[in-house]
Amino acid sequence: MEYTVRTLVAAAAVSLMASTALAEKLTIATVNNGDMIRMQGLTDDFTKKTGHEVEWVTLEENVLRQRVTTDITTKGGAFDLMTIGMYETPIWGKNGWLVPLDDLSAEYNVDDLLPAMRAGLSHDGTLYAAPFYGESSMIMYRTDLMEKAGLEMPDAPTWQFIREAAAAMTDRDNDINGICLRGKAGWGEGGAFITVTGNSFGARWFDEDWNAQFDQPEWANALNFFIDMMKESGPAGYATNGFNENLSLFQQGRCGMWIDATVAASFVTNPNDSTVADKVGFALAPNSEGVEKKSNWLWAWALAIPAGTQKADAAKEFIEWATSNGYIELVAAKEGWANVPPGARTSLYENPNYKDIPFAKKTLESILAADPNNPTVKPVPYVGIQFVAIPEFAGIGTEVSQEFSAAYAGQQSVEEALAKAQALTNDAMEAAGYR
């Protein structure tokens, strides 16, 4: 009996030591969006289940992109997991910079991922990042201010209606801006927004021979319309406003309309954070009159594992925890179904607990309406709606967005901004061998 007890105690000690030896400390780079911050608050659940600890590096969107790009291209090894998106994932996967996610467990059910998200995070059919949430973009608007203006939001409005409504809802005396939109420099910030706006005016980044198209009238029409509308009805300093700044303005009741990521819907309707939570309606992103393309994008913030990490197995465990149906149910239990990460899994939109969430239907409609393979009116040689899926785009897109933001701030004319965008884009494409 004594021998048996000692044997069991010794075996337990060995088992505990083995468990401790297998436990890892994962360093994760992520963006400072609300859903990511919520995930950090729930990480203890992952640690309890696996023994792995997590160290978060939380960064503003533009800074995150710079840090993770530098780290992976220089093989810096600072991170075991990275938050990246549909632009980086296929390019980095093709380069062999990411660990393939082709061996996730059966319980994870990779086939449940929305086809658009799975395709956008794959290269040659191999998944290289798992979507934490997926998004398109749509209109969020104050129903009370729209009613006060004597207008009714169409299900699929035009930009011309949006401008009219924004002017009618603007109340400078009470610090209410009719519309809040991104102007902040950065290819994924204001650059993303003005690109999809350009799409909806018939513009495109390149023709079929990779010649820049900023000298075409569609771009001038889009930029002039955007700047004139923002002068009339936008907030002061909009040239430096991105997602988080506009979210804050809307939650404070200082925006009549906001056109941005569908994922923001849960934040503007959360009474704990938003002063106008019970006065928000939703509509599809607008198009310009006579142009069929809408100004909505397609994106996923996703978790990927850099190929240089020594902790790939533990990192995959985190991915399975953070992007699973189990995590969705964990958030729902703690904060309600309206606050679960949206846009990633088909089953979420079939879940009876989620179907009645006021923004669920419009989110799914917006995602399904986005077509990265046909993003523009005229033919183009690239894939991507709010970005061009080539390695050079991150640099070019950021530079172009800086010129546009300078025009928003009144530091140069639209004509000057477009001329600089045309020249720098063509120069970069020629240097890269496209032209």
Side-chain angles (χ1 to χ4, degrees), residues 303-326:
L303 294 169
I305 306 169
T309 182
Q310 301 301 307
K311 305 173 184 177
D313 289 342
K316 285 181 184 177
E317 289 184 60
F318 185 86
I319 282 177
E320 292 213 13
W321 173 81
T323 66
S324 66
N325 272 317

Side-chain angles (χ1 to χ4, degrees), residues 136-138 196-197 199-200 284-286 293-298 365-371 385-386:
S136 183
S137 51
M138 66 181 178
V196 294
T197 301
N199 293 344
S200 70
L284 297 175
K293 293 293 178 184
K294 295 187 181 302
S295 53
N296 64 308
W297 61 60
L298 185 69
E365 284 180 16
S366 299
I367 289 172
L368 295 177
D371 184 0
I385 303 177
Q386 75 276 26

Side-chain angles (χ1 to χ4, degrees), residues 46 65 100 102 111 134 143 205 219 227 268 304 317 340 384 406:
F46 169 73
R65 289 195 166 103
D102 52 4
D111 291 333
T143 54
W205 267 78
W219 268 113
I227 290 173
V268 298
E317 289 184 60
V340 304

Side-chain angles (χ1 to χ4, degrees), residues 24-30 46 52 68-69 71-73 75-85 88-105 108 121 126-132 301-323:
E24 301 280 10
K25 186 172 185 179
L26 298 170
T27 302
I28 305 177
T30 197
F46 169 73
H52 305 310
V68 298
T69 300
D71 191 73
I72 203 157
T73 54
K75 299 181 179 179
F79 308 112
D80 303 301
L81 284 149
M82 294 176 166
T83 305
I84 60 175
E88 300 94 344
T89 302
I91 296 171
W92 293 3
K94 180 181 179 181
N95 289 345
W97 296 348
L98 301 175
V99 174
L101 301 181
D102 52 4
D103 58 351
L104 298 175
S105 69
Y108 180 76
L121 297 169
T126 297
L127 189 71
Y128 282 96
F132 179 69
W301 276 120
L303 294 169
I305 306 169
T309 182
Q310 301 301 307
K311 305 173 184 177
D313 289 342
K316 285 181 184 177
E317 289 184 60
F318 185 86
I319 282 177
E320 292 213 13
W321 173 81
T323 66

Side-chain angles (χ1 to χ4, degrees), residues 71-323:
D71 191 73
I72 203 157
T73 54
T74 62
K75 299 181 179 179
F79 308 112
D80 303 301
L81 284 149
M82 294 176 166
T83 305
I84 60 175
M86 287 187 170
Y87 167 66
E88 300 94 344
T89 302
I91 296 171
W92 293 3
K94 180 181 179 181
N95 289 345
W97 296 348
L98 301 175
V99 174
L101 301 181
D102 52 4
D103 58 351
L104 298 175
S105 69
E107 292 78 15
Y108 180 76
N109 191 9
V110 72
D111 291 333
D112 186 39
L113 299 178
L114 281 168
M117 299 301 153
R118 188 172 175 180
L121 297 169
S122 298
H123 172 68
D124 277 353
T126 297
L127 189 71
Y128 282 96
F132 179 69
Y133 67 73
E135 66 179 45
S136 183
S137 51
M138 66 181 178
I139 304 166
M140 294 158 278
Y141 67 95
R142 289 273 300 278
T143 54
D144 57 331
L145 296 182
M146 188 69 73
E147 183 178 355
K148 183 180 178 182
L151 297 170
E152 184 174 342
M153 176 68 80
D155 184 59
T158 63
W159 273 116
Q160 289 70 25
F161 174 85
I162 294 299
R163 183 172 177 178
E164 174 191 350
M169 288 192 282
T170 297
D171 183 352
R172 299 296 189 199
D173 291 339
N174 291 301
D175 200 19
I176 296 175
N177 308 286
I179 192 161
C180 296
L181 300 173
R182 299 188 194 192
K184 189 175 188 176
W187 72 261
E189 274 279 11
F193 188 84
I194 199 61
T195 294
V196 294
T197 301
N199 293 344
S200 70
F201 276 77
R204 54 184 175 167
W205 267 78
F206 300 102
D207 68 12
E208 291 177 283
D209 296 316
W210 294 104
N211 297 302
Q213 296 294 288
F214 295 107
D215 59 352
Q216 298 302 301
E218 293 89 352
W219 268 113
N221 293 341
L223 252 67
N224 281 310
F225 180 92
F226 176 76
I227 290 173
D228 290 345
M229 179 173 63
M230 296 304 285
K231 282 181 180 177
E232 294 166 359
S233 307
Y238 76 91
T240 58
N241 286 353
F243 175 88
N244 285 328
E245 291 82 4
N246 286 323
L247 171 61
S248 178
L249 287 170
F250 196 96
Q251 288 178 325
Q252 293 168 27
R254 295 170 60 191
C255 302
M257 288 178 287
W258 180 29
I259 305 171
D260 213 298
T262 52
V263 73
S266 68
F267 300 114
V268 298
T269 57
N270 186 335
N272 296 324
D273 303 315
S274 176
T275 62
V276 295
D278 60 342
K279 304 178 181 68
V280 185
F282 305 95
L284 297 175
N287 63 292
S288 185
E289 288 180 0
V291 179
E292 292 184 4
K293 293 293 178 184
K294 295 187 181 302
S295 53
N296 64 308
W297 61 60
L298 185 69
W299 185 253
W301 276 120
L303 294 169
I305 306 169
T309 182
Q310 301 301 307
K311 305 173 184 177
D313 289 342
K316 285 181 184 177
E317 289 184 60
F318 185 86
I319 282 177
E320 292 213 13
W321 173 81
T323 66

